[in-house]
Amino acid sequence: MVLGGIGAGIAYTKREALLKEGLERAIRKAKRDYGLNVTIGSAQFTGLSTVAFSDVAVVPQDRDSLFRVEKTEVGVSIWPLLIGRVAVSSLTLQNGLAHVVRRDSTTNVDFLTKSQKKDSTAATQTTESSSRRVDLAVVAENLVDNLLAKIPDNMDIQNLELRLTDNERKLRFLTETATIDDEELTSTIRVNGDESVWHLTGTVDASDQEANVSLYADGKPLELPYLEERFKLKLQADTLRAELRDVASSGGEFRMEGTGAVRNLRINHPAVALGEVLVPNAAMDANLFVGENYVGIDSSSTIYLGKVKARPFIKYTLSPDKIYDVQLHTDPLVAQDLFNSFPQGLFESLEGMKVAGTLKYDMAFHLDSSMPDSVQFYSGLTPDGFKILKFGKEDFSRVNQPFEHEVYEKDKLVRKFIVGPANPDFTPLNAISPNLRNAVLTAEDYNFFTHKGFNEKAFRVSIATNFKTKKFTRGASTISMQFVKNAFLNRNKTLSRKVEEILIVWLIENQRIISKERMYEIYLNFIEWGRNIYGIGEASRYYFAKSPANLTIGESILLSYVVPSPKLTLSRFYPDGSVKTYIRGYFRLIGRIMASRGLTPYDTTAYGFYGVRLREGLRQEIAPVDSIEIDSLMMPDDNQPEDGVNGINDFFRRVFGRDRTEPEVVTPQQEPANGAVIQTDSVPKTRRQLRRERREQRRREREQQENSSTQ
């Protein structure tokens, strides 16, 4: 104790010199490691553990000024210092400015990236030298402890401004006052001058690791116009609330327990929905966990949306292989409560629907990045006494009778026609050739008549493929989903439309609102088969001058081929009306699948490929061919049109790819210009080509030998 007292006395008498030396060392390090020019007008002790600073400035090298403050005073707690932990006990600040500037591709916070690279390199070197892995639980615990330790017990901030300049866009937050007194937090924040006044209030107890704060605005919602200008995202909320209840470590895991809530959240973004989406009340009791190599949300957490409660589970394992686990479960829910809890504006066709019974939802997803093809996925609603009492804005049963169908492209009405006997081109299902019915089912959704709207295997294959390619290259739309999208929904590619599509399919299939036969009949009679060609009756007459009942196996396979890209149909033919050679592989593939299922006789001549002829009146619309085209059977060819099918791989891309009846934008990449086909020297050669070249080479060699002998 005596030695400690002597040491403390010496340190006290030398504290000004120690402070100066420490600051100089920190300034040099900031300059050396991060390119920061730090200047301090004055720094001195004003108490046993309180230091006052004036005229502090931080300016990155060759960048705009990042931070300056006129006057600040910081006090630290003595006892934590004894164990090497810095805990702020008090903070006063007057007239400060933090300014983040982005000009084109450079910002004045570039040094953070440099520091991350430096830290990453150092961490890698340390790991390689010590063969130890970073424990994420320890990192998280230290980070949270340090952040909480920097929240003072007493705080008084006057005029601290945070300014963001993003090229021509600007955003300003001026904290006129922010105080913590006896754990009570109050603040007044002006956003963009007098545009809005925000308040952050609540209680903060850093020593007990607890906090409960709310953010709201005077007389208007919380909103940042910058988000709409920068990202086309209009985001508003009346109140945001966050609570931290507990922080603890146990069994090698670091855990945090808290709550987040929002009231009257409004979202408007073209990727979410066409109009504004309103969420009156949403909250989450979250129990977060961090382990040595994983992070996640525990299943004891609860999501609240209106009257609906759900239990999520999320776990992300980082090493040695990335593993993703996601689950969501509910107890049996009153079905009407579920429908009433849907955010307003999200599912327009379901608004006002009255239902009875209960519904239980379960979803489970597991993906190991080292084995993506073994992905596990399940999603299902379990009904109990569920039934529809009254349809909402859309009566899904209306299509059981003749109806008028409207076709829109880019929000413009391009065609309107009757789906029913009043339309002379309408063809009942039993009057359509079995060849066509079976070919389309084989290519699009062979299990259509046996599944309940969804193909789980297709979903799993789609997930695995998209994960491996790192982009959305394959979907999993069934004919049921394509039918619902075209019959009841707009064609806008939004998140809400896709979820609404899934919900409507479930309702129609599980409540048997529309029979499978009627659904398929409508599908064949209103999808697009060519430019402004809708329905199989119109298509068969337009291309082949015959009725759907008389379509051959070859004509049927060709029509199944053009379903994903109908506007390019004429480009699939030569000027003499025959089908282009590169499609022959598709004919053989679909034909063999149909033959293996007893839907057509086995055929060694490409299942009608050579017999297909475009009607003579259309042939003049096809541009002449200027080169020899290659048969690409079983030979994927990236130079062919993207929607073309070159063997098995391309067939499965179609089966699990984008929505089948989505109108496409024709681009030069989808079809060679002027109807020209791919040159033989610009694509990989098939085995047949190589054999022909070898035979030709041998023939030339024999001729040369014969000529030599003659001479």
Side-chain angles (χ1 to χ4, degrees):
M1 290 179 63
V2 172
L3 291 175
I6 294 172
I10 294 173
Y12 183 80
T13 59
K14 299 287 187 180
R15 59 179 183 163
E16 294 290 348
L18 293 172
L19 174 63
K20 181 179 179 181
E21 182 182 345
L23 291 175
E24 289 175 350
R25 187 164 54 248
I27 290 171
R28 288 195 300 270
K29 179 178 175 61
K31 177 70 173 179
R32 181 184 67 249
D33 294 347
Y34 308 116
L36 297 177
N37 297 308
V38 180
T39 59
I40 301 175
S42 66
Q44 60 184 7
F45 279 93
T46 58
L48 180 62
S49 59
T50 305
V51 182
F53 300 90
S54 65
D55 300 325
V56 179
V58 179
V59 182
Q61 187 73 33
D62 300 323
R63 296 287 189 270
D64 295 275
S65 175
L66 176 63
F67 178 76
R68 69 172 184 266
V69 63
E70 182 179 306
K71 186 184 296 185
T72 185
E73 191 172 285
V74 181
V76 296
S77 300
I78 297 296
W79 292 112
L81 280 176
L82 298 178
I83 58 173
R85 180 169 172 262
V86 178
V88 178
S89 60
S90 64
L91 171 66
T92 61
L93 184 147
Q94 293 180 6
N95 304 327
L97 171 65
H99 190 188
V100 178
V101 181
R102 177 176 177 267
R103 302 186 190 281
D104 297 326
S105 59
T106 63
T107 74
N108 63 342
V109 291
D110 291 339
F111 68 91
L112 293 175
T113 306
K114 296 177 183 177
S115 67
Q116 288 173 1
K117 291 180 180 178
K118 184 178 182 349
D119 293 344
S120 175
T121 303
T124 302
Q125 292 173 347
T126 302
T127 302
E128 291 175 351
S129 62
S130 62
S131 300
R132 291 183 300 174
R133 199 162 42 213
V134 175
D135 190 327
L136 295 180
V138 175
V139 173
E141 183 177 9
N142 291 337
L143 177 63
V144 172
D145 282 347
N146 283 319
L147 288 175
L148 292 174
K150 301 307 181 286
I151 299 176
D153 297 327
N154 296 286
M155 181 179 74
D156 184 9
I157 293 177
Q158 304 289 330
N159 297 325
L160 173 62
E161 182 178 355
L162 172 60
R163 190 182 300 170
L164 171 65
T165 299
D166 183 0
N167 292 315
E168 301 301 321
R169 304 181 184 91
K170 295 184 178 181
L171 184 62
R172 295 174 56 209
F173 296 92
L174 175 60
T175 302
E176 293 183 331
T177 62
T179 63
I180 297 178
D181 185 13
D182 195 21
E183 300 180 5
E184 292 291 331
L185 168 66
T186 59
S187 69
T188 300
I189 306 168
R190 290 193 175 274
V191 181
N192 291 338
D194 294 328
E195 184 178 283
S196 183
V197 178
W198 292 4
H199 298 282
L200 184 65
T201 63
T203 59
V204 178
D205 186 354
S207 58
D208 286 342
Q209 299 179 324
E210 295 178 353
N212 190 340
V213 297
S214 296
L215 181 65
Y216 61 92
D218 282 343
K220 60 192 306 186
L222 297 163
E223 182 180 13
L224 290 176
Y226 170 82
L227 296 178
E228 188 170 6
E229 296 172 6
R230 182 78 168 81
F231 306 106
K232 298 181 180 179
L233 171 62
K234 186 175 182 180
L235 195 63
Q236 296 179 336
D238 286 356
T239 305
L240 297 175
R241 187 174 68 85
E243 180 182 4
L244 176 64
R245 289 197 293 264
D246 190 29
V247 176
S249 292
S250 176
E253 279 190 347
F254 174 70
R255 289 182 169 264
M256 292 179 61
E257 180 181 337
T259 298
V262 61
R263 185 165 62 86
N264 289 333
L265 174 66
R266 303 171 188 86
I267 305 172
N268 195 328
H269 190 276
V272 176
L274 291 181
E276 183 178 271
V277 176
L278 172 63
V279 182
N281 288 288
M284 181 175 181
D285 288 333
N287 295 318
L288 311 179
F289 60 84
V290 183
E292 180 183 3
N293 63 336
Y294 57 86
V295 297
I297 300 175
D298 193 75
S299 59
S300 58
S301 304
T302 306
I303 296 173
Y304 302 88
L305 184 63
K307 294 183 179 181
V308 172
K309 295 192 299 183
R311 300 182 304 279
F313 173 79
I314 300 174
K315 184 177 180 181
Y316 173 44
T317 304
L318 287 80
S319 60
D321 297 308
K322 291 183 173 62
I323 301 175
Y324 307 84
D325 283 290
V326 181
Q327 295 183 27
L328 186 67
H329 304 282
T330 72
D331 295 327
L333 305 167
V334 176
Q336 190 63 58
D337 287 346
L338 175 61
F339 279 75
N340 291 343
S341 297
F342 290 150
Q344 299 174 26
L346 196 62
F347 310 133
E348 292 185 1
S349 64
L350 302 178
E351 290 181 3
M353 179 174 284
K354 302 298 181 184
V355 295
T358 63
L359 292 169
K360 182 178 183 295
Y361 180 71
D362 295 282
M363 185 273 286
F365 169 78
H366 174 85
L367 173 64
D368 187 331
S369 62
S370 65
M371 300 182 295
D373 291 323
S374 299
V375 61
Q376 300 172 24
F377 177 76
Y378 168 78
S379 176
L381 272 173
T382 304
D384 185 3
F386 176 83
K387 61 181 179 179
I388 298 174
L389 304 178
K390 175 180 173 295
F391 287 109
K393 288 186 176 181
E394 181 67 68
D395 182 351
F396 305 127
S397 66
R398 66 175 175 82
V399 297
N400 286 320
Q401 304 297 325
F403 64 96
E404 186 176 61
H405 182 60
E406 296 180 343
V407 179
Y408 288 85
E409 291 185 13
K410 296 181 179 179
D411 297 329
K412 290 184 178 180
L413 179 64
V414 296
R415 184 79 182 271
K416 185 187 299 186
F417 57 91
I418 298 295
V419 180
N423 181 348
D425 288 316
F426 176 82
T427 310
L429 188 62
N430 58 11
I432 299 174
S433 168
N435 291 324
L436 186 282
R437 302 200 309 260
N438 292 328
V440 173
L441 283 175
T442 300
E444 298 294 315
D445 183 8
Y446 183 71
N447 295 316
F448 168 71
F449 281 97
T450 56
H451 65 57
K452 289 192 173 183
F454 309 102
N455 187 331
E456 288 189 8
K457 182 178 179 180
F459 270 103
R460 291 193 293 270
V461 172
S462 174
I463 292 170
T465 301
N466 293 334
F467 179 84
K468 288 186 289 187
T469 59
K470 307 302 180 186
K471 57 183 179 180
F472 292 101
T473 58
R474 179 173 291 177
S477 288
T478 60
I479 285 180
S480 302
M481 297 169 73
Q482 297 172 46
F483 163 79
V484 164
K485 179 193 65 181
N486 283 272
F488 305 117
L489 300 174
N490 60 67
R491 291 179 180 268
N492 294 282
K493 293 184 177 182
T494 63
L495 176 63
S496 63
R497 195 219 75 184
K498 196 64 180 178
V499 177
E500 188 174 13
E501 175 186 308
I502 292 171
L503 287 170
I504 295 173
V505 169
W506 186 88
L507 289 169
I508 288 175
E509 292 273 8
N510 283 270
Q511 293 295 292
R512 297 181 175 85
I513 298 172
I514 308 167
S515 69
K516 288 282 192 178
E517 290 74 13
R518 174 61 175 168
M519 202 180 303
Y520 194 38
E521 179 180 77
I522 296 172
Y523 174 80
L524 294 176
N525 275 279
F526 75 1
I527 65 171
E528 186 179 17
W529 298 87
R531 289 186 181 276
N532 203 32
I533 305 300
Y534 293 89
I536 188 58
E538 189 173 329
S540 59
R541 176 170 51 83
Y542 179 76
Y543 294 115
F544 307 117
K546 60 174 59 175
S547 71
N550 298 320
L551 290 170
T552 65
I553 183 65
E555 293 163 344
S556 298
I557 293 177
L558 184 280
L559 288 174
S560 76
Y561 175 83
V562 305
V563 169
S565 51
K567 286 182 172 59
L568 297 175
T569 301
L570 287 180
S571 67
R572 310 309 186 194
F573 293 92
Y574 289 119
D576 66 355
S578 61
V579 182
K580 287 188 175 180
T581 311
Y582 72 84
I583 305 177
R584 182 166 49 195
Y586 175 83
F587 273 69
R588 289 171 175 164
L589 178 62
I590 296 297
R592 287 169 183 169
I593 295 174
M594 292 175 64
S596 68
R597 292 167 175 167
L599 302 176
T600 191
Y602 279 97
D603 183 3
T604 59
T605 60
Y607 295 89
F609 171 81
Y610 298 101
V612 178
R613 287 293 181 275
L614 185 68
R615 70 177 175 87
E616 191 168 350
L618 282 180
R619 298 176 190 179
Q620 59 187 1
E621 299 184 23
I622 302 173
V625 180
D626 60 4
S627 65
I628 300 174
E629 192 165 284
I630 298 171
D631 178 12
S632 56
L633 175 62
M634 308 300 286
M635 187 96 172
D637 181 356
D638 292 335
N639 292 316
Q640 292 285 5
E642 183 177 340
D643 58 317
V645 177
N646 302 306
I648 292 177
N649 292 336
D650 285 45
F651 168 67
F652 283 109
R653 183 189 304 132
R654 293 185 66 244
V655 172
F656 303 113
R658 62 178 174 80
D659 292 343
R660 292 293 180 269
T661 54
E662 199 77 31
E664 72 279 337
V665 177
V666 182
T667 64
Q669 288 76 23
Q670 289 175 298
E671 188 69 8
N674 301 321
V677 295
I678 308 302
Q679 298 291 336
T680 57
D681 60 354
S682 63
V683 297
K685 296 181 179 180
T686 64
R687 289 192 293 269
R688 178 179 297 179
Q689 282 182 286
L690 294 173
R691 288 197 299 270
R692 288 175 178 172
E693 290 180 358
R694 286 196 294 269
R695 286 198 297 269
E696 180 64 19
Q697 179 66 26
R698 287 195 294 269
R699 185 186 64 78
R700 286 196 296 267
E701 291 174 354
R702 285 196 301 271
E703 289 178 352
Q704 291 175 356
Q705 291 175 355
E706 291 173 357
N707 292 335
S708 299
S709 299
T710 302
Q711 292 173 354

